[in-house]
Amino acid sequence: GGGGGGGSDGAMFHTSTQRQHWHFDSVDALDTRRRASHIAAVEQVRVVHSADDSDAEAGPAVKAIDFLTYDESREIVAHYISRVSEFCQRFQPNLPTRVVAVAIEYLKRYYITGTVLTHPPSSIFALAVYFACKAEDQIITLSSFCRIGRLPDASEAFIRTYELEFMQALRFHFTVHAPFRPLRGFFIDASAYLAPAGLPESVHEAAVTLLWKWTQTDVLFTHPPSQVALAALLSAAPAEVTVELNRYIANKLEAADPDKAPLLRAALVAIPIVVEAATLGPSSPDRHTQLKAKLQACRNPKFDPESAMFRRRKEAGDRERSAKRQRRDEEWKEKQKAQLQSILGT
């Protein structure tokens, strides 16, 4: 249900849709799921081309298509995830950071079952940000959003057409529990525990910077936001502060729930490893151009506005709609005529 992307306490997370539907036991389990979506999408493109082989214009022979590998598709998604923040700064005032966090999470969730071969992230990424604005009560009309975001002309029609499909891919779960609020909570709590020295604000700032990097990885699919926040606080702290933080974790957090202490320690070790292994950030301009060209050559023509197949389907749809309209008009005229005749008694 509803909005609320800034993050939330642990108790709420454990009963959330995020915990029930978007949590994976490991990155491998998540990868298996995404890989299956990629393989199915490749197969779908083969089927579409085979069915359309009668038409020479349909595109390359199926055998000749150079499909993106799964890793290349992940690299394209990572590139666009890294651009969300910059895109949100085109707005004046800038869209709030929680919109950025929610949009990133939507993009990552969408591309578990969705694939770049069907809808490339260059299109989906604007839809994710637009939807994050709605979920976070940032009121903006779609036309203003597209204009201020300097989006291509076709974006508005794309968002209108695929909004429902996007919501279905997210299973209508729009709440995102981000790690920023738990981070602030831990920072304040640890500062109070370590009084009078407390913790320098610079440690919180460094942890926030680290979390922005981490939210672009898969770590929120495998660990609760509160654990991710605590791991970021530990990782961002200089050595002398880490000693103090470990004292806080042992005496305050683990002492409060001794049964879960080994699990917490294991998570604090595992999280930086998950993050290190991730594909992150934008590709170099040359690499991105190369991947985009490869994607354009192997994407599903059924959903590609540039393809002959898409144009034919659109024209057929337009013809059908116009024929329906004509039939409706004729039926209405007949009805009017019949009514008039009954009034005039002819």
Side-chain angles (χ1 to χ4, degrees), residues 12-237:
M12 275 178 72
F13 170 76
H14 280 288
T15 57
S16 66
T17 54
Q18 185 165 324
R19 175 76 188 82
Q20 288 158 5
H21 300 279
W22 302 101
H23 181 84
F24 293 81
D25 292 335
S26 65
V27 174
D28 284 348
L30 171 61
D31 253 337
T32 302
R33 183 76 185 279
R34 285 192 299 223
R35 212 175 274 276
S37 303
H38 180 76
I39 292 166
V42 167
E43 199 42 50
Q44 220 175 4
V45 175
R46 288 187 194 284
V47 168
V48 166
H49 276 295
S50 301
D52 215 58
D53 257 359
S54 53
D55 185 343
E57 220 200 337
V62 180
K63 286 190 190 71
I65 300 174
D66 181 17
F67 283 102
L68 284 172
T69 65
Y70 169 71
D71 289 336
E72 286 170 336
S73 76
R74 297 296 314 139
E75 206 181 317
I76 291 175
V77 174
H79 177 88
Y80 282 96
I81 285 173
S82 72
R83 285 192 49 211
V84 171
S85 177
E86 171 260 320
F87 175 77
C88 291
Q89 284 163 17
R90 292 179 185 180
F91 296 79
Q92 288 304 328
N94 295 164
L95 294 176
T97 51
R98 65 177 191 278
V99 168
V100 182
V102 171
I104 286 173
E105 218 48 39
Y106 285 174
L107 251 185
K108 292 190 313 193
R109 289 179 184 185
Y110 178 84
Y111 281 113
I112 295 176
T113 52
T115 75
V116 299
L117 299 186
T118 310
H119 297 307
S122 51
S123 306
I124 291 292
F125 123 109
L127 213 171
V129 177
Y130 179 65
F131 223 83
C133 287
K134 280 188 171 184
E136 291 300 322
D137 300 323
Q138 293 294 309
I139 309 302
I140 184 166
T141 65
L142 180 53
S143 55
S144 304
F145 176 81
C146 293
R147 191 185 71 252
I148 300 165
R150 302 195 291 279
L151 291 168
D153 294 344
S155 300
E156 194 171 333
F158 178 88
I159 290 173
R160 282 191 207 286
T161 307
Y162 292 110
E163 195 170 17
L164 180 61
E165 188 187 305
F166 182 75
M167 283 157 47
Q168 286 166 335
L170 298 180
R171 304 187 200 174
F172 300 95
H173 301 151
F174 305 129
T175 303
V176 168
H177 294 262
F180 299 98
R181 202 180 291 170
L183 171 68
R184 189 73 196 154
F186 282 130
F187 177 76
I188 291 167
D189 195 39
S191 288
Y193 181 79
L194 301 168
L199 287 174
E201 184 61 41
S202 59
V203 172
H204 178 252
E205 285 163 12
V208 168
T209 304
L210 202 54
L211 277 183
W212 275 116
K213 218 158 104 182
W214 288 12
T215 53
Q216 296 179 32
T217 73
D218 292 329
V219 74
L220 287 172
F221 286 129
T222 56
H223 290 87
S226 57
Q227 288 181 359
V228 174
L230 193 55
L233 197 57
L234 263 181
S235 298

Side-chain angles (χ1 to χ4, degrees), residues 265-288:
R265 280 290 160 187
L268 295 178
V269 171
I271 288 167
I273 296 169
V274 170
V275 172
E276 280 307 303
T279 308
L280 254 191
S283 315
S284 71
D286 286 354
R287 172 74 175 156
H288 184 59

